[in-house]
Amino acid sequence: TERIYIEDKEHPDEVLLKRAAQILKDGGLVAFPTETVYGLGANALKEEAAKKIYAAKGRPSDNPLIAHIAATEDLAPLVLHIPEAGRKLMEAFWPGPLTLVFQKSDLVPYGTTGGLDTVAVRMPDDFVASTLIRLSGVPIAAPSANTSGRPSPTTADHVWQDMNGKIDMVVDGGAVGIGVESTIIDVSGEEPMILRPGAITQEMASKVLGQEICLDPAIISGPISEDVKPKAPGMKYRHYAPKASLTLVEGDAEDVITTINRLAKEKLEEGFRVGIICTEESREYYQEGFIRSMGERAKEETIAHNLYGVLREFDDLEADYIYSESFSKDHLGQAIMNRLTKAAGYHILKIQKEETV
Ligand code: TXA
Ligand code: MG
């Protein structure tokens, strides 16, 4: 695996990126930065290229890929038609961290869509990504560039850990901006629906559409049951999983700190390695274990940005148990809590105040 470095993201070296683009054109695999997380790119119109992605990630092949484009004109050939809701959302949020699901055209192979008649499309807001896509001259299928089941990569080093030796090239553009994957909105049906929360929030999308947009019920209902299957096939897997067993602790700040300290102490005494996820405000109240702050509680952007890096760090530290504070579900918090809840395998400890009558 070759690694190329982009020194100046606003003026990337086109000679270097042309080499990367040629690999993509020829059906190879190139990991590259986007504003959300690093993607593992391949030619979206070549069935064999998509197969290579599944192999490198160790990902089930019924899990469809997002096609990345560099300009809005590149959308039309990939889809049957562009519904009104899709048009409004594109105009408001592209390029940006929003993926839209449309009815697919015949141009898009089933190998890319995991056998579905719909295709997910996104136009990233990252100059390196869009230059690379433009130079390759084809839409680029790109899942997050992690081994399936591991937290998504937010730096080229994360990609390297998972993909060295398995893909042709890594384009190193430094740390990403946002840190959680794009919002996915399905506009292929009667009513638009959010299939995965992200930096384009429910409020932002509702405002543009002039109506309240709903979340896929499977996102809210938690553990995947037989009757509520998520509409984004990828959401059914225990994604974003750290190697340790992660428990989210919910309740009043003071109770949460006391409980996490107690649980951590118990596990440490049993000889386990324990990690704690906290905030700048609470850090000083934790005593033992690997203590990692996600940033200031009120700064959702910072928390989203640090989330996957912290989870990966605990993997590297070989933590057996992780205890995490929980966060607000407002705005970007919806995406943060969605990823954390899934990383925890829906293992949430709710601390109830004892009723004093
Ligand atoms: O921010 C992102 O979206 C990143 C960067 C690299 O662009 N990509 C990403 O891809 O997160 P991935 O493959 O890790 O997640 C794609 C999600 C999966 O949950 C998948 O099931 C869903 O999108 N998806 C793809 N095509 C779909 C379709 N036609 N219908 C419903 N869900 C779809
Ligand atoms: Mg992923």
Side-chain angles (χ1 to χ4, degrees):
T1 303
E2 188 185 353
R3 182 162 172 172
I4 62 171
Y5 294 85
I6 304 298
E7 307 289 341
D8 178 356
K9 285 199 77 173
E10 297 314 312
H11 307 92
D13 183 338
E14 288 226 354
V15 177
L16 276 181
L17 285 184
K18 270 186 187 141
R19 283 211 355 253
Q22 190 62 45
I23 294 174
L24 289 168
K25 244 189 252 178
D26 294 343
L29 299 184
V30 176
F32 60 94
T34 80
E35 77 277 36
T36 57
V37 299
Y38 269 76
L40 177 54
N43 185 338
L45 304 182
K46 274 197 181 164
E47 191 119 7
E48 318 83 71
K51 282 209 185 101
K52 285 192 197 165
I53 289 185
Y54 292 117
K57 280 181 64 83
R59 169 173 180 154
S61 60
D62 67 336
N63 193 355
L65 306 170
I66 296 172
H68 294 64
I69 57 175
T72 38
E73 306 89 80
D74 301 340
L75 174 65
L78 307 178
V79 303
L80 284 188
H81 69 111
I82 304 173
E84 184 60 20
R87 191 170 301 282
K88 283 185 185 162
L89 291 166
M90 284 162 58
E91 273 166 17
F93 302 118
W94 278 8
L98 174 68
T99 297
L100 294 169
V101 175
F102 300 92
Q103 300 289 340
K104 81 169 194 69
S105 73
D106 290 340
L107 192 63
V108 184
Y110 283 111
T112 299
T113 69
L116 298 174
D117 289 317
T118 53
V119 59
V121 185
R122 159 163 135 76
M123 185 168 144
D125 183 19
D126 179 290
F127 195 61
V128 173
S130 56
T131 307
L132 178 61
I133 298 164
R134 181 172 54 74
L135 291 173
S136 75
V138 288
I140 300 299
S144 48
N146 52 292
T147 300
S148 191
R150 293 211 68 199
S152 293
T154 54
T155 66
D157 284 337
H158 296 164
V159 177
W160 197 251
Q161 284 174 3
D162 287 9
M163 294 298 156
N164 184 19
K166 297 183 178 159
I167 64 176
D168 299 297
M169 186 185 265
V170 176
V171 179
D172 185 339
V176 301
I178 295 173
V180 293
E181 305 85 344
S182 62
T183 306
I184 303 177
I185 299 183
D186 186 349
V187 292
S188 70
E190 297 271 298
E191 290 287 326
M193 190 187 272
I194 298 181
L195 306 189
R196 177 174 75 181
I200 303 301
T201 65
Q202 193 171 12
E203 294 86 349
M204 289 160 76
S206 299
K207 199 168 168 208
V208 164
L209 293 174
Q211 65 175 95
E212 188 64 26
I213 178 168
C214 293
L215 265 95
D216 178 357
I219 293 173
I220 312 157
S221 73
I224 306 312
S225 64
E226 272 306 297
D227 32 315
V228 257
K229 286 216 177 67
K231 301 228 165 23
M235 300 295 278
K236 75 172 174 271
Y237 301 105
R238 191 177 161 235
H239 252 185
Y240 327 114
K243 289 174 186 155
S245 149
L246 167 64
T247 303
L248 260 173
V249 185
E250 259 178 40
D252 285 352
E254 227 174 283
D255 297 341
V256 167
I257 292 168
T258 315
T259 305
I260 290 180
N261 271 327
R262 179 174 52 77
L263 293 169
K265 195 168 186 322
E266 279 172 21
K267 290 297 178 199
L268 284 163
E269 277 168 4
E270 290 170 30
F272 291 111
R273 298 165 73 83
V274 177
I276 293 174
I277 298 179
C278 63
T279 57
E280 287 303 293
E281 291 84 350
S282 62
R283 169 174 223 147
E284 61 178 309
Y285 301 108
Y286 291 102
Q287 291 135 8
E288 296 166 86
F290 306 118
I291 301 159
R292 295 293 177 273
S293 163
M294 300 253 273
E296 284 175 43
R297 179 163 283 280
K299 292 195 178 148
E300 287 155 8
E301 279 77 12
T302 312
I303 293 173
H305 185 263
N306 292 334
L307 175 64
Y308 288 138
V310 167
L311 291 178
R312 276 187 177 255
E313 206 185 329
F314 286 135
D315 277 358
D316 298 341
L317 291 165
E318 295 181 347
D320 301 297
Y321 291 89
I322 304 169
Y323 299 101
S324 176
E325 294 182 4
S326 52
F327 299 87
S328 142
K329 291 194 181 87
D330 295 334
H331 313 289
L332 186 55
Q334 197 169 54
I336 295 167
M337 284 301 283
N338 168 260
R339 307 306 195 274
L340 261 180
T341 310
K342 291 188 60 166
Y346 301 93
H347 196 199
I348 303 168
L349 188 63
K350 290 203 170 92
I351 308 164
Q352 244 90 24
K353 272 259 170 258
E354 275 179 44
E355 297 280 340
T356 40
V357 186

